Every structure is written in C-alpha cells, then in structure tokens.
Amino acid sequence: MSTVSRRPALTPRQLTRTGERLSFVYLERCTVHRDANAITAQDAEGTTHIPSATIGTLLLGPGTRVTHQAMSVLGETGAAVCWVGEHGVRYYASGRALSRSSALMEAQARQWANPRSRLAVARAMYRLRFPDEDPSGLTRHELLGREGKRVKDCYRAQAARTGVPWRGRRYTPGDFTSGDAVNQAITAAAQCMYGIAHAVVTSLGCSPALGFIHSGHELSFVLDIADLYKTEIGIPLAFDVAAQDEEDTGPRTRRALRDRINETSLLNRCVDDIKHLLLPESTGSAAPGDDRDVVTLQSDHGHQVASGVNHDGPEDYGDELW
C-alpha cells in the first residue's frame, strides 16, 4: 500500500486562508502532476513546481492533462480547480470547496428564501458597488435600471479617460476574437473575475446557485459577487490594457488583472464582503464557521445537539458512530 493512502487529511486550521492565496494560476498545454505537497506543470520547456496550498484557483486550459495524485493534493488543500477554454474565457467545470462548515451556506439560504431579505441583500450589493447612492426603497426593476445606467456611464468615462474608441459592448459567445481590442479585454477580465469569485464562493462553503440579483443559473451568486468589482476594477483595467496595445489583449488582461488583485488584496475584500452580505450582524472576518469541522444534529426550537450520540432516553448515552 502506498503512503498516499495513509496520509492524514488536513484540517481547515492547517490550510492557507482564501484571502492569503494566489488569486489564480492558469496552465495550458502541459501535464499537471504531484511532487510531495506541490503540484508540477511539465511541458517541453521543463517542470515548474507550485505549492498547492498557495493556490486559490487553478485554471486548466486546453492541452492540459492532470493526474489523480495532483487532484488528490489539490483536494486536500482546498484549491479550487476550474476547467476553462482557450484564452481562459470559457468555463466548463470545477472542483470542491475549502470550508467544511455550513454556517455561511445556511445563512445564504435563509437570506435567499425570504423575498424581503433577498431584496435587502440585492440593495446591499448595489450599495457596495455604488456607495454614493442610497438604494433604500428601490424596487428590483429600479435597481436594474440604475445599475445599467451606471455601467454605461462607466464605459463612456473610461473611453474618455484612455482615448480608446467605444462603440458599445460587443461579445459573441464562443468567438472571443469577434470583438475589438477593448471588448476582448472586458471579456477576459470578466471571465477571470467569474473564476475568482467562484473560487471564493465555494471556498467559503456558499452555494454558487443561490443568487440575489442573478437567478436561474448554477452560478447566479458567483455572477453577483464578480459584478461587485466590475466598474471599480474590471472595466477600467480592460480599457488600460486596450489603450496600451491591441495585440494579445486576452493574455495581457489576465496578467494585469492578476497583479491588480494582488495589489488590492481583493480576495480578502471579497471574503469580507460575502460575510457582510450574508451575516450583516457579524463583523466580517469574525463571522462564525471559518474553521469548524463539526457535525451536529438539529433538535427542537433551533437547538443543535452533538452527533455520534444515541439520544434515546434522558441520559443520552451511547455511541452511534460507525
């Protein structure tokens, strides 16, 4: 028997927190394998070692092959793994979450299930995006109208700032090169932000599907979170990249976005924003459920009781663990 099967599973306390990891690592046309607690990327130019516990999201592009051992260590360290298309602008599938607690998932479900609190979270999201406006009392339709106007204004303002001609948002799904340079940059930035938001959402144990603005899609909440930073980071950066050069817009946008995310500690901010939205009464990083690896049973009146115990009788003794 190999030593791999005897290696103890890491606990959440031993894992690098989401906000302290690299935002994403993109690999293509290589073989991804394992060397101790690192993953390796091997291609014609050699082998690169990447510590798995430092990865937030591993984006696997075309031509990649990944071994069972590589996926094993990525799973142990809670790194999100996404299979993406060429240029990193299409999303196909992803892996597991970092958190073992259901605290934020339960809070998300409570907020989502009540129409009033669902609208309250949508207003809070709008307030995070546009802090100079007060969305209190706005209906969902009014929120959508305000958001659309602000995004259009952002496009025009960034075009004026950078001198890049703007003829409107143009993107044909499946055809990245159909748009002009700035549209390609916007698409590349958006897709990277979706991957990053997906990694944070799942690493916190939240449901990617239960959105408060977007709805009806398995990634509705991911789209909600990614859009929080669209007008502040994604769109301005895309115009900056397009203003520099029209060649290789996609790769340059991804590299610039990676640097901007690290400079601004966006992952930490994204974690705090999600906790604030779902648990507004908590204090962000002090929100419960970060490191728990505990299974309880639901009892009456909202009480939680210990699992692994036979609760038949007043003494509640006995072991039900298999």
Side-chain angles (χ1 to χ4, degrees):
M1 181 180 295
S2 70
T3 57
V4 172
S5 62
R6 296 196 298 269
R7 185 174 51 254
L10 297 175
T11 69
R13 291 185 183 276
Q14 293 173 285
L15 300 178
T16 306
R17 289 179 177 272
T18 300
E20 298 169 354
R21 296 178 178 228
L22 295 174
S23 51
F24 63 89
V25 176
Y26 176 77
L27 300 175
E28 64 178 22
R29 296 174 176 84
C30 64
T31 298
V32 182
H33 193 40
R34 171 182 189 158
D35 183 3
N37 285 327
I39 64 168
T40 61
Q42 184 177 13
D43 59 13
E45 298 181 0
T47 301
T48 301
H49 286 71
I50 308 170
S52 58
T54 65
I55 300 173
T57 311
L58 179 63
L59 303 178
L60 297 177
T64 51
R65 294 185 297 172
V66 59
T67 67
H68 184 278
Q69 290 298 305
M71 290 304 300
S72 174
V73 71
L74 289 166
E76 289 175 1
T77 54
V81 182
C82 298
W83 283 260
V84 299
E86 194 168 8
H87 305 297
V89 296
R90 295 198 65 181
Y91 167 89
Y92 297 117
S94 66
R96 56 158 288 185
L98 170 62
S99 174
R100 300 182 187 182
S101 168
S102 64
L104 278 171
M105 169 76 84
E106 292 174 3
Q108 180 187 10
R110 284 194 299 270
Q111 297 277 35
W112 181 88
N114 186 311
R116 290 185 179 180
S117 60
R118 197 188 312 177
L119 178 56
V121 173
R123 289 170 176 163
M125 288 180 168
Y126 186 91
R127 192 177 291 110
L128 282 175
R129 295 182 63 181
F130 310 114
D132 58 325
E133 287 195 37
D134 182 10
S136 300
L138 293 182
T139 66
R140 283 193 171 275
H141 188 73
E142 289 170 335
L143 283 176
L144 293 176
R146 293 274 188 97
E147 190 268 349
K149 182 179 183 303
R150 292 296 294 259
V151 171
K152 286 184 177 180
D153 290 344
C154 180
Y155 286 137
R156 287 192 289 265
Q158 296 305 318
R161 178 181 66 85
T162 60
V164 174
W166 178 247
R167 304 176 184 85
R169 184 72 174 108
R170 300 288 187 272
Y171 170 60
T172 302
D175 188 3
F176 178 73
T177 60
S178 62
D180 56 17
V182 67
N183 270 284
Q184 290 182 22
I186 292 172
T187 299
Q191 294 293 346
C192 286
M193 288 300 299
Y194 294 152
I196 293 163
H198 195 184
V200 176
V201 166
T202 56
S203 72
L204 292 176
C206 297
S207 168
L210 296 183
F212 296 87
I213 296 175
H214 295 84
S215 180
H217 190 272
E218 61 177 340
L219 298 178
S220 294
F221 190 52
V222 171
L223 303 179
D224 285 355
I225 298 303
D227 279 357
L228 294 179
Y229 317 106
K230 176 189 295 185
T231 56
E232 177 186 350
I233 296 176
I235 295 176
L237 182 140
F239 274 87
D240 287 339
V241 170
Q244 294 168 1
D245 192 349
E246 294 188 358
E247 298 297 324
D248 298 324
T249 305
R252 290 191 298 110
T253 300
R254 290 193 294 273
R255 290 193 293 268
L257 183 62
R258 176 198 60 200
D259 294 340
R260 184 69 55 84
I261 288 168
N262 291 331
E263 291 167 3
T264 59
S265 299
L266 182 64
L267 292 184
N268 277 323
R269 177 179 166 189
C270 190
V271 169
D272 290 340
D273 286 345
I274 290 174
K275 291 180 177 179
H276 172 73
L277 290 166
L278 301 182
L279 295 167
E281 70 281 1
S282 69
T283 57
S285 59
D290 287 354
D291 298 317
R292 293 190 305 165
D293 188 12
V294 178
V295 179
T296 60
L297 302 175
Q298 296 187 25
S299 186
D300 296 322
H301 310 297
H303 294 305
Q304 303 288 323
V305 298
S307 65
V309 175
N310 190 324
H311 293 278
D312 181 23
E315 294 161 336
D316 289 344
Y317 61 86
D319 191 355
E320 287 188 342
L321 294 177
W322 289 11

